Amino acid sequence: MTFSELKKNPDIKTYISMADDSLKSLGFTEHSFAHVTKVAETAGNILLSLGFPEKDIELVKMAGYLHDIGNLVNRIDHSQSGAVMAFRILDNLGLPAEDIATIVTAIGNHDEGTGVPVNPIAAALILADKSDVRRSRVRNNDPSSFDIHDRVNYSVVSSVISVSEAKTFIKLELEIDTAISSVMDYFEIFLSRMLLCRRATESLGLSFKLIINRQTLL
């Protein structure tokens, strides 16, 4: 089973789509195929840049693609319920137990409320997930009724996460339109996520830098 094959699985597509439908009804930003694919590819690129083997890159891409399916059950504790769902899916698909364990562990640890970067796969998934802030995730077409999550996501002109050439730090660089949302608004909802990103980066043996509008803040 490869990441490319996983993406073609119709049952998995259904779970992702219907999980996002639930979040849409609750007013959350987009958590569908655009998000999970971006998270998968970003996580893979982080491990690739750090010289991890191809198998780890495949596993983190799978974890990234499956990481939000727990929203199908409930937004609360979705990382844990998603991990249980992923276990059943991957077991039925015949993945080796060690690979399943690695993916399930990463999914179960990706949320800032309970997550811990217990291994490199989990760390890369955390970094990829928490860095996906962008205007196209906002579903609300009426700026006058934006909540703080809509405002912050809509204000992000660009978001780029990268590993330094010397492999000494990971940098998340954001450009925010402060006419839409202040930097303080960003920290109000993302501070715990950025602190988890710092922990994830440190677990990989690097330091974390957060740069907003060309100012280093972490």
Side-chain angles (χ1 to χ4, degrees):
M1 171 62 65
T2 65
F3 172 58
S4 295
E5 292 169 339
L6 190 78
K7 288 198 299 180
K8 297 175 184 177
N9 185 285
D11 293 341
I12 293 172
K13 288 182 179 180
T14 298
Y15 300 146
I16 292 172
S17 179
M18 294 187 71
D20 185 58
D21 286 344
S22 294
L23 293 184
K24 182 178 181 180
S25 71
L26 295 170
F28 282 84
T29 54
E30 180 268 328
H31 284 70
S32 190
F33 298 104
H35 172 61
V36 299
T37 302
K38 182 175 178 62
V39 169
E41 296 292 351
T42 300
N45 286 336
I46 289 170
L47 293 190
L48 177 64
S49 298
L50 292 173
F52 279 80
E54 182 61 33
K55 181 177 180 179
D56 288 343
I57 295 168
E58 280 288 295
L59 293 178
V60 82
K61 286 182 177 181
M62 291 182 187
Y65 195 71
L66 295 172
H67 81 281
D68 269 341
I69 57 173
N71 287 303
L72 184 65
V73 179
N74 198 294
R75 179 61 179 174
I76 298 172
D77 295 330
H78 74 282
S79 58
Q80 282 77 35
S81 54
V84 174
M85 288 178 65
F87 172 83
R88 183 179 184 278
I89 292 167
L90 298 174
D91 188 43
N92 286 341
L93 291 173
L95 262 71
E98 184 176 354
D99 293 350
I100 294 173
T102 300
I103 293 169
V104 165
T105 298
I107 293 172
N109 279 283
H110 84 269
D111 187 68
E112 64 273 13
T114 56
V116 179
V118 293
N119 59 42
I121 307 299
L125 176 57
I126 288 166
L127 289 162
D129 182 41
K130 306 314 171 191
S131 64
D132 187 20
V133 188
R134 50 188 163 82
R135 178 169 295 185
S136 57
R137 293 191 69 184
V138 178
R139 306 186 218 252
N140 187 350
N141 295 318
D142 179 13
S144 67
S145 64
F146 279 178
D147 63 12
I148 189 171
H149 292 85
D150 290 335
R151 284 201 314 275
V152 168
N153 277 274
Y154 197 81
S155 72
V156 176
V157 178
S158 68
S159 173
V160 179
I161 189 165
S162 60
V163 178
S164 67
E165 187 174 348
K167 298 180 177 56
T168 56
F169 63 85
I170 291 177
K171 174 177 67 174
L172 174 57
E173 190 163 11
L174 303 171
E175 182 180 349
I176 292 178
D177 184 344
T178 55
I180 298 171
S181 178
S182 68
V183 174
M184 185 61 71
D185 281 345
Y186 177 87
F187 274 105
E188 182 175 338
I189 62 172
F190 278 96
L191 179 58
S192 61
R193 303 178 197 185
M194 293 301 96
L195 292 176
L196 182 57
C197 282
R198 184 166 70 182
R199 289 182 66 189
T201 305
E202 290 172 350
S203 76
L204 292 168
L206 291 79
S207 59
F208 179 69
K209 292 186 178 182
L210 173 64
I211 301 172
I212 300 179
N213 293 351
R214 295 169 294 282
Q215 298 293 317
T216 301
L217 301 178
L218 279 178

